Amino acid sequence: MTALTLSTAAASGLRADAIVVGVAKGSGSKGALVVAPGAESVDKAYDGKLASVLETLGASGGEGEVTKLPAPAGFKAPVVVAVGLGEVPEKDETYGTDALRRAAGVAARALTGVKKAGFALPAEDADDICALGEGALLGAYSFVAYKDQGGAKSKKNGRDAKAPLAEAVLLGGKPRDKAYKAAIERAAAVGEELNRARDLVNTPPNDLDPEAFAAVATAAAKEHGVKVQVLDEKALAKGGYGGILGVGAGSDAPPRLVKLSYTHAKAKKHLAFVGKGITYDSGGISLKPAGHNETMKCDMAGAAAVFAAVVAAARLGLEVNVTGWLALAENMPSGSATRPGDVLRMYSGKTVEVLNTDAEGRLVLADAIAKASEEQPDAIVDVATLTGAMMVALGNRTFGIMANDDAFRASVHEIAEEAGEPAWPMPLPAELRKGMDSPTADIANIGDRMGGGLVAGLFLKEFVGEGITWAHLDIAGPAFHEGAPFGYTPKGGTGTAVRTLVRLAERTAAGDLG
């Protein structure tokens, strides 16, 4: 795990394996390369010619670009790593926190196998330092649990070439300043828990069934003072959780409902986070076609995000009560599996005609949302890799936000963007509800094909307690990245929604949401 430290040392004098600086595209027709603030001592060591040297090497300052060059004489580090920040900010503006986060992530990825690197990137305040810390932690992430641990070694120095950057020293930070210390602690808590969520998403389903997920959550919760309650299949049957049991009926691995409770003595508000935790989704009897099963270990990314957010809130000591509900099941076809046409009686008492067993996430969420509603929280936010339709609508990097309150939906959208997670508000058209009418049950689990992501949101809305503010985050697109890494986003599990949930908890604790 990458360690984060602060230092007021000049980059030229820091003993490290590499120094990271920022460069940007200058304004004007020529667009000359510009050395970003924070790298003044590095530029001076190159006699003020760092930009021209980098240009000679082909650097343009474009976002995500990395250029390595030997450090000048007298430097304590042997290598300088220049990372592109994109366009130079307009007058009186600064580099945005997410631009800094992405730059730090790119640099950390480029420094795999390095023990210590100093980050001399623009940092005007504690918020910038927090962004750089988060970016470094997220960019340094790698999932190697199933790789040959005796793998390739660097012939030059014998270090493990697969090991992430061991220590990121954030230059320009003030180690004794309370705001900066809090910033680094926040970056560590959020970054480490988000990476834990990534680990869960990346773990193969033969090693992460509902029981195993519940065990991981229990251990982490106890470590950080979070109360935990796990309902096994017997307790679920006794409690009448027909949705969760129905989805898990076809698997030899029985379902679980995990409740994580973080409380603060001074809290005035209570948030409930509900996560879809399908540890593997075959589609059930409505089997997915070939080519659609291979990444379905990621169908528990919503529960992973909720779990990580609750633990992060506890680590940060936020003055808000946060309850996490992890609805865990494995959706498999077998002689005992729920069939298309079966009717399930949900925890709320409503009956659901299951017309498609691959629309299973909404079934486990419905039970958990109804249960969460009994505690009358100030707001419920569910997170789920719910529909392919949302991916069609918003692509692979943006999640959709639906809600039963327009103001709350707008606030969640603002918070997501502030946290650096692309999101977009989506409607819940009332006319789509009719498509879920069932002649047999209170509601069917699917409706009109067009607008399928919105139909799923309308289904979940049916199970929210009366008078409770609710939002639904459909993270199907960005939860699992199959392409090449970019910024601080790795291949595989991304940890999407963790930062949005944590920021929502922080804003609620501060009284910013009413």
Side-chain angles (χ1 to χ4, degrees):
M1 187 178 295
T2 303
L4 295 178
T5 55
L6 296 171
S7 176
T8 55
S12 58
L14 182 72
R15 291 188 179 277
D17 299 293
I19 296 295
V20 177
V21 299
V23 291
K25 289 184 177 181
S27 57
S29 58
K30 294 184 179 180
L33 193 72
V34 174
V35 177
E40 290 83 1
S41 66
V42 181
D43 190 30
K44 183 178 180 181
Y46 284 96
D47 296 325
K49 297 178 180 179
L50 177 57
S52 60
V53 171
L54 288 168
E55 284 184 323
T56 302
L57 295 173
S60 69
E63 185 178 314
E65 181 183 79
V66 174
T67 306
K68 296 182 180 180
L69 67 163
F75 240 60
K76 300 296 184 182
V79 177
V80 171
V81 179
V83 59
L85 289 161
E87 301 288 340
V88 171
E90 297 292 332
K91 186 178 180 181
D92 298 328
E93 293 185 3
T94 60
Y95 294 96
T97 53
D98 203 47
L100 299 180
R101 194 182 286 116
R102 289 193 298 267
V106 169
R109 284 197 292 108
L111 291 168
T112 298
V114 170
K115 288 185 177 180
K116 182 178 181 180
F119 285 67
L121 292 167
E124 295 195 355
D125 54 28
D127 287 341
D128 288 348
I129 286 291
C130 184
L132 292 175
E134 276 187 28
L137 284 175
L138 301 184
Y141 174 82
S142 62
F143 185 70
V144 295
Y146 294 82
K147 295 283 189 179
D148 178 7
Q149 295 303 295
K153 300 283 183 178
S154 166
K155 294 179 181 179
K156 183 177 181 181
N157 53 34
R159 290 197 295 268
D160 186 349
K162 294 179 182 178
L165 171 64
E167 181 183 0
V169 182
L170 307 182
L171 302 175
K174 303 172 184 177
R176 297 182 181 180
D177 184 281
K178 289 184 178 180
Y180 282 81
K181 288 174 66 176
I184 205 77
E185 288 170 2
R186 183 190 186 279
V190 175
E192 289 168 7
E193 295 311 321
L194 192 152
N195 283 341
R196 196 203 302 257
R198 288 172 168 179
D199 281 346
L200 286 167
V201 175
N202 288 327
T203 300
N206 58 314
D207 282 343
L208 192 76
D209 61 16
E211 184 177 9
F213 194 143
V216 171
T218 298
K222 290 181 177 179
E223 179 185 352
H224 295 288
V226 175
K227 292 182 180 179
V228 60
Q229 178 186 13
V230 180
L231 299 185
D232 62 14
E233 65 272 30
K234 292 181 180 179
L236 291 169
K238 184 177 180 180
Y241 294 86
I244 297 175
L245 289 167
V247 173
S251 175
D252 289 337
R256 295 286 187 269
L257 177 62
V258 179
K259 178 185 180 182
L260 303 170
S261 303
Y262 162 67
T263 58
H264 192 285
K266 297 181 180 180
K268 296 180 180 179
K269 296 287 186 179
H270 175 201
L271 296 174
F273 297 153
V274 179
K276 173 188 173 184
I278 304 300
T279 56
Y280 183 74
D281 183 19
S282 70
I285 297 296
S286 305
L287 195 66
K288 291 179 182 293
H292 290 74
N293 282 295
E294 290 76 7
T295 60
M296 282 299 102
K297 64 181 181 180
C298 80
D299 214 19
M300 37 57 67
V306 166
F307 160 58
V310 175
V311 175
R315 288 181 61 173
L316 294 171
L318 302 182
E319 292 186 13
V320 58
N321 294 336
V322 183
T323 305
W325 299 88
L326 316 181
L328 309 176
E330 185 177 66
N331 188 24
M332 296 290 285
S334 73
S336 61
T338 295
R339 296 153 291 227
D342 282 356
V343 174
L344 304 177
R345 185 170 295 279
M346 310 295 283
Y347 178 79
S348 68
K350 288 185 178 181
T351 55
V352 175
E353 183 179 12
V354 180
L355 298 180
N356 188 325
T357 63
D358 196 24
E360 86 299 329
R362 64 199 70 183
L363 298 175
V364 300
L365 285 173
D367 272 355
I369 288 171
K371 180 62 177 178
S373 296
E374 290 182 346
E375 297 187 347
Q376 291 293 308
D378 293 286
I380 295 174
V381 179
D382 77 74
V383 187
T385 48
L386 206 58
T387 66
M390 197 56 57
M391 298 171 69
V392 172
L394 298 178
N396 293 323
R397 296 190 183 183
T398 304
F399 63 77
I401 307 171
M402 285 154 265
N404 61 1
D405 181 278
D406 289 347
F408 187 59
R409 181 184 63 186
S411 291
V412 173
H413 179 221
E414 177 187 316
I415 287 167
E417 295 292 333
E418 182 181 305
E421 297 193 310
W424 197 251
M426 302 293 282
L428 289 173
E431 67 272 13
L432 292 179
R433 170 61 181 85
K434 185 172 178 58
M436 291 185 284
D437 285 349
S438 165
T440 307
D442 294 323
I443 190 172
N445 77 324
I446 59 172
D448 295 348
R449 179 171 175 268
M450 299 302 173
L454 312 182
V455 170
L458 285 166
F459 179 90
L460 296 177
K461 183 182 176 184
E462 296 273 328
F463 296 87
V464 178
E466 186 176 352
I468 297 176
T469 301
W470 158 81
H472 161 56
L473 312 185
D474 190 335
I475 62 170
F480 195 84
H481 178 57
E482 296 186 67
F486 64 94
Y488 48 79
T489 301
K491 187 179 179 68
T494 63
T496 290
V498 172
R499 287 179 290 148
T500 296
L501 296 180
V502 172
R503 192 71 189 115
L504 174 61
E506 289 175 325
R507 291 271 293 268
T508 302
D512 292 347
L513 289 177

